[in-house]
Amino acid sequence: DAMVIQNPRYQVTQFGKPVTLSCSQTLNHNVMYWYQQKSSQAPKLLFHYYDKDFNNEADTPDNFQSRRPNTSFCFLDIRSPGLGDAAMYLCATSGSGTSTDTQYFGPGTRLTVL
Amino acid sequence: SQQGEEDPQALSIQEGENATMNCSYKTSINNLQWYRQNSGRGLVHLILIRSNEREKHSGRLRVTLDTSKKSSSLLITASRAADTASYFCATDAVPNNNDMRFGAGTRLTVKP
């Protein structure tokens, strides 16, 4: 089945140790999103790619970077994780990126920072 | 920044009862979507309502939109234990119809 896959589902890292989360999709969608969701809060958009065009949210810390080497894959790099970066990280895709379009979410990666 | 605000933050009902969740937003919108999230999982799209629509139905779901009050409601009829989840509204902001912003969600618990 076409889907959005996130690996790993659970990631533990140490304070300040770089970590990479991955997302892949078989939907062939143009747009891929990364959200951060803390407990009992709204998913917060960090950035998204429209094809190869990177769109960063104004309040996304520089500590967060992203790469999209091809249509199928997108990575979230956290250069120096702090305790406040512990959260669920959700990847999503959509075909057109417009607000009439459904976003398809992966199951998320729960990041723990020790 | 967050656009939608859901209320209540948490709702607990018995199986078979109806559940109503509300979403209010600050600026004019083109479209509003509702999503569901089971605990520890990704979000799943439920329904889209456009700014020129007042009501939409999908199975046991009924969504209304009142643009004059900048609010939407999601009604789940004849709830089931499997409806237990968090429900989020997401809105864009006129004139930009690209970026969606999620509210903080309503946590629904349906007791068997």
Side-chain angles (χ1 to χ4, degrees):
Chain A
D1 288 342
M3 56 176 36
V4 181
I5 302 160
Q6 290 188 245
N7 285 307
R9 292 293 314 282
Y10 301 90
Q11 176 73 57
V12 180
T13 191
Q14 291 182 330
F15 183 94
K17 185 175 181 181
V19 66
T20 295
L21 309 182
S22 72
C23 177
S24 64
Q25 55 132 341
T26 60
L27 296 159
N28 204 34
H29 280 170
N30 286 321
V31 190
M32 294 187 77
Y33 306 84
W34 278 105
Y35 291 88
Q36 179 193 63
Q37 185 180 28
K38 297 187 177 180
S39 181
S40 301
Q41 293 186 21
K44 179 180 179 297
L45 182 63
L46 296 173
F47 26 59
H48 72 276
Y49 274 93
Y50 189 98
D51 197 10
K52 294 181 181 179
D53 292 333
F54 178 69
N55 298 272
N56 198 29
E57 292 298 300
D59 56 355
T60 297
D62 292 340
N63 196 27
F64 292 85
Q65 303 285 318
S66 186
R67 297 170 283 135
R68 189 179 185 185
N70 53 53
T71 301
S72 301
F73 285 87
C74 195
F75 300 97
L76 170 62
D77 301 308
I78 308 176
R79 294 194 294 191
S80 182
L83 298 179
D85 296 328
M88 175 76 90
Y89 290 88
L90 296 165
C91 174
T93 73
S94 74
S96 68
T98 66
S99 59
T100 56
D101 208 5
T102 297
Q103 291 192 25
Y104 294 84
F105 283 80
T109 294
R110 183 166 297 282
L111 178 68
T112 300
V113 181
L114 301 178
Chain B
S1 60
Q2 192 168 315
Q3 161 78 312
E5 298 277 346
E6 285 93 337
D7 85 272
Q9 291 186 339
L11 179 61
S12 182
I13 60 174
Q14 294 293 136
E15 218 170 15
E17 293 180 340
N18 295 342
T20 300
M21 291 159 273
N22 303 297
C23 168
S24 59
Y25 52 91
K26 300 185 180 76
T27 61
S28 296
I29 63 169
N30 298 296
N31 303 289
L32 184 146
Q33 299 187 26
W34 283 91
Y35 284 79
R36 164 198 169 119
Q37 183 180 33
N38 285 67
S39 182
R41 307 290 296 182
L43 282 73
V44 175
H45 179 258
L46 294 175
I47 200 163
L48 160 75
I49 189 163
R50 300 170 193 261
S51 60
N52 61 354
E53 297 175 314
R54 293 296 167 259
E55 186 171 315
K56 285 190 82 169
H57 297 255
S58 176
R60 292 184 296 113
L61 305 180
R62 173 177 169 251
V63 169
T64 61
L65 180 63
D66 187 335
T67 53
S68 67
K69 294 181 179 177
K70 292 188 170 59
S71 69
S72 173
S73 67
L74 170 66
L75 168 67
I76 304 175
T77 60
S79 64
R80 305 166 183 168
D83 294 329
T84 294
S86 291
Y87 292 83
F88 295 89
C89 69
T91 57
D92 61 8
V94 172
N96 183 351
N97 70 338
N98 291 333
D99 293 341
M100 300 292 285
R101 295 290 181 268
F102 287 88
T106 294
R107 174 70 190 167
L108 174 66
T109 302
V110 181
K111 301 175 193 172

